[in-house]
Amino acid sequence: MTGIKHVGVVGAGQMGQGITEVCARAGLQVTLCDVTEDRARAGLAGVADSLLRAEKRGAVTPEDRALALAGVSVTDDLSRLSKADLVIEAAVEDEQAKTELFRQLDKVADPAAVLASNTSSIPIARLAAATGRPEAVVGLHFFNPVPVMPLVEVIPSLHTSKATELRVRAFAAEILGKKTVVAQDRAGFVVNSLLVPYLLAAVRMVSAGTASAEDIDTGMTAGCAHPMGPLRLADLIGLDTVAAIGEALYEEYREPLYAPPPLLRRMVESGLLGRKSGQGFFDYRVAGEGPARSTS
Ligand SMILES: NC(=O)c1ccc[n+]([C@@H]2O[C@H](COP(=O)([O-])OP(=O)(O)OC[C@H]3O[C@@H](n4cnc5c(N)ncnc54)[C@H](O)[C@@H]3O)[C@@H](O)[C@H]2O)c1
């Protein structure tokens, strides 16, 4: 028994919405928090849309959809997470912002609560150091889209207690039905340490004019049986997030393969963030996805 019945989710972006949805579908009470109530409400609307699509696919009944939604409340006030047994932070991939959030969460959360981060790359030890309960701080890294992807990486820091690690593993596996792997507290953990250099290599290829974004993606889907090409995947993750993960990996390892290339930085600075902004390596603004745009 994990004793986890109420989950606080911080950050109502694409990951926070997905985490909220899977927790709510598992019958848990969820409090979803973002910097403004409007953003938190927009997050809840995203969860409602996704549940409706799941109902249309026959994946949930209308009753279960209604029950799941009824279990979610939204707020812009972190202190409303005081009753949560587990808080999952899924805010922007920025170490300073996350450190500050963990400092505040430590103050407002129940003393027995576990504080988890969905960070893709920031060492858990640094977030734990901002709290007075490092033994109860752990990485819980979901994959996008959360309702579809079976994996959760569990990342104990050097201070995380075995009890915390086992509790969140049981939560992910038994309550959410996810497959878990445990990774050491190194930037990028297992999956992003392997994935992000590959995505950055594809961006460098576009930049060098080796092939178009469309052809690079087709190369990997039709040639290597990947379900999605690297540039569509980067767009799905969010180019700001990919760049931030690259920065964190580069800071940790000082290997050039992790450094975000100039084209990626320019796209992020220009607001071309991928699917979430409507444009990235591909254009998502009209009727789903249009042809590749030239970004080189
Ligand atoms: N996008 C992915 O594929 C993916 C996959 C796994 C993990 N992650 C990680 O999940 C986290 C969130 O990523 P995302 O893709 O959902 O980003 P996103 O940009 O879609 O959403 C981030 C949300 O965090 C909110 N936020 C920022 N500061 C906040 C604060 N102080 N308090 C509360 N909310 C705050 C923003 O308003 C925004 O709604 C990041 O750490 C990212 O690295 C992302």
Side-chain angles (χ1 to χ4, degrees):
M1 277 301 289
T2 67
I4 295 172
K5 296 198 166 70
H6 184 163
V7 177
V9 178
V10 183
Q14 50 183 345
M15 294 305 292
Q17 290 174 33
I19 294 165
T20 297
E21 178 177 338
V22 294
C23 290
R25 279 170 71 171
L28 301 165
Q29 198 181 336
V30 185
T31 306
L32 176 61
C33 178
D34 207 302
V35 283
T36 64
E37 200 153 324
D38 278 355
R39 285 205 191 183
R41 279 191 205 291
L44 180 57
V47 175
D49 284 351
S50 176
L51 281 168
L52 198 57
R53 288 197 300 275
E55 185 190 316
K56 284 183 183 150
R57 286 196 310 274
V60 287
T61 63
E63 296 74 27
D64 286 347
R65 177 173 70 85
L67 259 179
L69 268 180
V72 182
S73 58
V74 295
T75 183
D76 60 359
D77 177 3
L78 272 188
S79 68
R80 294 271 309 278
L81 306 184
S82 62
K83 298 222 163 58
D85 306 301
L86 166 68
V87 178
I88 305 175
E89 172 278 315
V92 63
E93 187 75 349
D94 175 296
E95 188 173 327
Q96 223 181 330
K98 284 194 192 292
T99 308
E100 177 55 22
L101 266 171
F102 272 76
R103 201 184 60 73
Q104 291 178 34
L105 283 170
D106 187 37
K107 288 195 181 130
V108 300
D110 185 295
V114 170
L115 305 181
S117 177
N118 186 49
T119 179
S120 305
S121 57
I122 297 166
I124 302 306
R126 295 193 197 153
L127 306 178
T131 75
R133 60 176 99 187
E135 71 290 346
V137 176
V138 67
L140 205 52
H141 184 223
F142 291 81
F143 289 79
N144 189 13
V146 181
V148 176
M149 300 299 281
L151 187 67
V152 174
E153 285 179 310
V154 175
I155 308 103
S157 81
L158 293 176
H159 286 300
T160 309
S161 69
K162 200 67 188 168
T164 300
E165 179 191 326
L166 292 176
R167 195 172 175 205
V168 297
R169 274 193 90 170
F171 166 77
E174 291 160 23
I175 300 185
L176 303 184
K178 298 290 188 187
K179 186 177 273 299
T180 61
V181 294
V182 178
Q184 275 193 359
D185 189 18
R186 303 284 184 274
F189 320 128
V190 171
V191 174
N192 280 317
S193 294
L194 291 169
L195 175 67
V196 169
Y198 158 67
L199 300 183
L200 298 179
V203 176
R204 286 190 200 97
M205 271 190 155
V206 177
S207 191
T210 309
S212 66
E214 190 68 60
D215 283 357
I216 292 167
D217 270 20
T218 302
M220 297 310 291
T221 52
C224 295
H226 287 196
M228 184 182 276
L231 297 162
R232 277 190 183 78
L233 180 52
D235 276 354
L236 175 69
I237 294 169
L239 300 186
D240 52 342
T241 301
V242 173
I245 300 169
E247 295 284 7
L249 285 164
Y250 184 69
E251 194 206 311
E252 178 99 323
Y253 297 108
R254 301 286 164 187
E255 300 270 9
L257 81 165
Y258 296 122
L263 172 61
L264 185 63
R265 292 177 194 274
R266 284 310 92 74
M267 290 177 76
V268 172
E269 287 155 10
S270 307
L272 302 170
L273 306 182
R275 267 183 191 273
K276 65 183 168 188
S277 73
Q279 264 185 296
F281 288 98
F282 299 91
D283 192 335
Y284 305 90
R285 289 168 301 177
V286 186
E289 185 183 314
R293 53 190 305 282
S294 169
T295 46
S296 53

